[in-house]
Amino acid sequence: MSYIIHSNLIATPELIADITRSFGLDKPLLTQYFLWLKDAITLNFGNSYMTGRSVSADFLYFLPNTLLLVLCGFILTFVCSLPLGIISAHYHNKMPDVLIRFFCFIGVSMPNFWLAFLLMLLFSVYLGWLPAVGIEGAKSFILPSICIALMSICIIARLIRANMLEAQKERYVIYAKMRGVRGMRLHIKHIFYNAFLPILTAMGMHIGELLGSALVVESVFALPGIGLYSIQGIANHDYPVIECFIVVLSVCFVLCNGVVDILYGVLDVRIRKHIEETQREAQ
């Protein structure tokens, strides 16, 4: 039996006992946990306390909008952070580097919900170029994508700068300079490539962070995604919705880290050789 819980229901002992039996709260705690774990593995998080509908079905309905928002934010992060970091490292302690570091400082310090209000005020209210709330085509994802991506752009750009400045001290860079390699070719081909692996780890982890940022940004722009759905669940103490969002977010973090580990083995020759040597020794 599923229940739609409203604030005007009278909590009689009979109703409390009925709901307790329906949700399995009368069973031992360990039994409750294993029953929940079995349902979570099969993506069965029960019904919403507020609507009575299946939480998993609602999540699958709202998930495409959130995935599209996260994909736009990740592409924006990748496209913007790489040139910012490379240019900042190339012009170390010069005016472009100072401007980029100042921009990154502002971007890291600004909350995404505050940035959302500022962008909404400028581009929606004053200029009227972009919609403020809801979905009106692809242009509705522009402002939310900027909001969830700005902090990641600034963090990864600073990480790229730091790794490239550290890589400049390596011997292979000195040998490349001795061969006459200069300018952006030196920074991209010899320095950036060898400093990319730690950046790859950061980008993989920031996918989960983008998904977490969507929780707030979707509520500001009224985008019908799992972020807005989860915010409403938190406000209404709708625990099946909260549990589903936490599990989805955790799985995304684990999957992103797993993909990054696989890419490490593909891109880093040292790791591949170590795996091959380990396999030969095991044989």
Side-chain angles (χ1 to χ4, degrees):
M1 182 184 297
S2 63
Y3 288 90
I4 303 176
I5 299 180
H6 299 284
S7 59
N8 58 351
L9 287 178
I10 301 175
T12 62
E14 293 79 9
L15 180 60
I16 295 175
D18 195 13
I19 293 178
T20 300
R21 286 193 303 271
S22 176
F23 294 144
L25 300 178
D26 56 338
K27 296 180 175 62
L29 186 61
L30 192 61
T31 303
Q32 292 182 41
Y33 172 73
F34 281 110
L35 289 175
W36 174 87
L37 186 62
K38 177 179 70 68
D39 291 336
I41 293 174
T42 58
L43 300 179
N44 178 20
F45 292 94
N47 297 328
S48 169
Y49 292 171
M50 302 302 298
T51 65
R53 295 194 301 266
S54 171
V55 173
S56 300
D58 287 344
F59 253 69
L60 291 177
Y61 177 78
F62 291 118
L63 186 60
N65 291 331
T66 301
L67 291 180
L68 180 58
L69 176 61
V70 172
L71 177 62
C72 293
F74 180 76
I75 293 175
L76 190 62
T77 300
F78 185 82
V79 170
C80 295
S81 62
L82 292 185
L84 287 176
I86 294 173
I87 293 173
S88 182
H90 180 65
Y91 295 99
H92 178 51
N93 286 336
K94 296 180 182 179
M95 184 56 65
D97 181 30
V98 174
L99 294 177
I100 291 175
R101 281 190 293 166
F102 179 75
F103 169 76
C104 291
F105 174 77
I106 298 297
V108 171
S109 305
M110 182 176 295
N112 51 19
F113 66 88
W114 176 247
L115 176 64
F117 288 127
L118 293 179
L119 294 179
M120 190 183 300
L121 182 65
L122 176 60
F123 292 101
S124 300
V125 178
Y126 290 157
L127 300 177
W129 292 351
L130 299 171
V133 295
I135 296 182
E136 301 179 11
K139 60 183 180 181
S140 298
F141 289 89
I142 296 177
L143 296 183
S145 300
I146 295 174
C147 293
I148 67 171
L150 180 62
M151 183 176 293
S152 297
I153 290 172
C154 298
I155 293 175
I156 294 177
R158 293 173 63 178
L159 180 62
I160 292 172
R161 175 184 180 274
N163 288 347
M164 290 185 64
L165 292 178
E166 187 66 27
Q168 289 181 6
K169 305 174 184 177
E170 299 294 335
R171 291 184 177 179
Y172 57 82
V173 176
I174 299 175
Y175 296 154
K177 290 180 179 179
M178 294 173 61
R179 296 198 308 269
V181 181
R182 292 289 187 273
M184 293 301 293
R185 181 187 175 191
L186 174 67
H187 278 78
I188 295 177
K189 184 177 180 180
H190 294 275
I191 299 177
F192 173 74
Y193 179 79
N194 291 280
F196 183 70
L197 287 179
I199 300 165
L200 180 65
T201 303
M203 286 188 172
M205 296 184 65
H206 274 272
I207 296 177
E209 184 174 333
L210 292 173
L211 184 59
S213 299
L215 184 72
V216 177
V217 173
E218 284 183 358
S219 64
V220 175
F221 289 97
L223 285 177
I226 62 174
L228 178 60
Y229 181 62
S230 302
I231 281 287
Q232 293 174 345
I234 293 172
N236 295 320
H237 301 281
D238 202 343
Y239 295 112
V241 175
I242 300 172
E243 290 174 356
C244 186
F245 179 76
I246 292 174
V247 170
V248 169
L249 192 63
S250 302
V251 170
C252 287
F253 268 105
V254 173
L255 290 178
C256 291
N257 288 331
V259 171
V260 167
D261 289 339
I262 295 173
L263 290 177
Y264 253 88
V266 173
L267 297 177
D268 196 333
V269 180
R270 296 169 298 181
I271 295 179
R272 292 204 303 268
K273 289 184 177 180
H274 177 70
I275 294 176
E276 293 173 358
E277 292 175 357
T278 305
Q279 291 176 347
R280 285 198 298 267
E281 292 176 357
Q283 294 174 354

